[in-house]
Amino acid sequence: MRVYLDNNSTTKVDPKVIEAMAPFFDQYYGNPSNLHYFGRKAKEAVEQAREKVAQLINADASEIIFTANGTEANNLAIKGILKTTKQPKPKIITSSIEHSSIRNTLSALQQSQQAEIAELSVDEYGVVNLAELKQKIDERTVLITVMHCNNEVGTIEPIQEIATIAHKYNAYFLTDAVASVGKLPIDVKSLGIDMLTLSGHKIHGPKGIGALYLKDGINLAPLIVGGGQERHLRAGTENVPGIVGLGVACELALAEIKSNIPKQIETLRNYLEEQIKNQIPEIKINGHPTNRVCNVLNISVAYVEGESVLMNLDLEGIAVASGSACASAKSEPSHVLKAMNVPDKFINSPVRFSLSKYTTKEEIDYTIEKLIAVIKRLRAISPLWKG
């Protein structure tokens, strides 16, 4: 059996998405900037997709900017704001658990002295410290960027409260929603979000396409200069098949939220968690126990290495992760778990299970069976395990 439980790294493309994309490779393959039939068909498809993306987060279609991925969208938002600010000594506030596309971008800006970066701590569950935010924000703050939910442990952040604090100081609020879009209802208007980023391949769409929600009236400087595509913010011929695929993926995600598919995923996730807690001693659940996204379970197993668990499960046909795919080449402990002050005996052994609408109970039962056997085998050769 092959079981895929690494959906926070990437997802299977929905067959309906593939079907919708196919004609734009060999039938409607025109350049959307052209005025002839082929160009008009492509342009029409791009604008229809823009509307579908907007509907998922209750935005206006004109506020959606297509990018190549979530990383580019995050870079465009951060650097675009910084290039247009009139603040001579700009300050950006972020959290200690952001995705590498935020963390490394901000680190580079600080090293080049383009901005001062202030980092917020989190509690043991990964929730941002709002009292600390109120202390650190000041009139120099131009941007606060805190993710909607953490991609490693699933904890949902108080983004509405953060946005309110930001706006009191006339700062913008950006949220990386790559791990939450399609799993949580999102209303950018009621939440007070100024900018939001998402990625197609995390919601059963294709790789190579993402989007930035940019609230009307906010000015950004482009990263890529050339033609006038995407409101002059993202030059280059549009990835029409990818955009079409993202649009359909967003349309499907909205329908699934309305029909409680995330709740079904959560039920299966909770079953996995309860079975693990009941049958495997000396484990720790990482993240908030209740206020978390529906599909993520992050556990730490004492006295074994997380990567050893990962590799042994892979030999049994089960795909999981030990952290973010964008940081998988690193050997040091997860920066998220370090920020949460996870105890030493647990910090090197995280295993992340991330489910999807395609995950079945049969697959979860198989995973539980094999996980128990793998941990028993690894602990038997651990000099620290005295079970």
Side-chain angles (χ1 to χ4, degrees), residues 89-129:
K89 296 181 179 179
K91 181 178 181 181
I92 298 175
I93 300 177
T94 189
S95 83
S96 55
I97 60 168
E98 295 299 302
H99 185 266
S100 58
S101 64
I102 297 283
R103 286 171 61 82
N104 292 342
T105 298
L106 296 179
S107 177
L109 291 172
Q110 179 155 275
Q111 288 176 14
S112 61
Q113 299 184 340
Q114 295 180 63
E116 176 189 336
I117 308 302
E119 196 171 85
L120 305 174
S121 64
V122 296
D123 65 15
E124 63 181 306
Y125 301 118
V127 179
V128 166
N129 188 329

Side-chain angles (χ1 to χ4, degrees), residues 148-371:
H148 190 188
C149 79
N150 185 263
N151 55 303
E152 291 190 28
V153 300
T155 298
I156 300 170
E157 300 298 337
I159 61 171
Q160 187 170 18
E161 292 90 334
I162 295 171
T164 299
I165 295 169
H167 295 155
K168 286 181 180 178
Y169 285 80
N170 295 316
Y172 294 116
F173 175 60
L174 161 67
T175 190
D176 177 344
V178 168
S180 61
V181 162
K183 304 174 186 71
L184 296 172
I186 297 176
D187 184 332
V188 292
K189 293 182 172 65
S190 65
L191 290 171
I193 297 168
D194 298 308
M195 294 177 286
L196 174 148
T197 58
L198 59 90
S199 181
H201 76 107
K202 301 301 177 84
I203 54 171
H204 304 288
K207 297 176 181 65
I209 188 66
L212 167 67
Y213 157 72
L214 179 65
K215 184 178 178 180
D216 186 46
I218 298 177
N219 293 319
L220 292 185
L223 291 180
I224 303 172
V225 178
Q229 295 90 347
E230 298 304 298
R231 290 169 44 190
H232 294 272
L233 287 174
R234 211 280 181 171
T237 301
E238 298 91 337
N239 173 10
V240 179
I243 289 170
V244 169
L246 175 59
V248 174
C250 288
E251 182 179 38
L252 294 172
L254 182 58
E256 289 158 6
I257 288 172
K258 291 178 178 178
S259 59
N260 282 329
I261 296 299
K263 185 64 178 177
Q264 295 174 28
I265 297 171
E266 181 181 45
T267 299
L268 204 53
R269 189 274 314 276
N270 290 345
Y271 170 72
L272 171 63
E273 178 178 336
E274 288 304 311
Q275 292 300 311
I276 290 174
K277 286 163 61 176
N278 292 337
Q279 300 189 56
I280 302 175
E282 294 262 31
I283 67 159
K284 182 182 184 304
I285 306 300
N286 298 312
H288 199 281
T290 56
N291 191 31
R292 55 180 164 160
V293 74
C294 64
N295 74 316
V296 176
L297 172 63
N298 188 305
I299 68 168
S300 286
V301 187
Y303 311 115
V304 300
E305 291 288 333
E307 289 188 359
S308 296
V309 177
L310 184 155
M311 290 185 288
N312 277 269
L313 286 177
D314 185 52
L315 292 173
E316 300 290 352
I318 302 166
V320 297
S322 58
S324 171
C326 294
S328 60
K330 299 180 180 180
S331 58
E332 65 264 22
S334 159
H335 73 279
V336 175
L337 300 190
K338 286 170 69 176
M340 292 164 56
N341 291 314
V342 170
D344 289 345
K345 74 173 183 178
F346 292 115
I347 201 165
N348 289 313
S349 58
V351 180
R352 183 188 69 188
F353 305 87
S354 45
L355 290 64
S356 81
K357 62 184 180 180
Y358 295 114
T359 306
T360 67
K361 186 175 182 297
E362 180 186 12
E363 291 175 334
I364 294 300
D365 284 333
Y366 177 79
T367 298
I368 293 165
E369 174 192 342
K370 296 302 179 183
L371 179 66

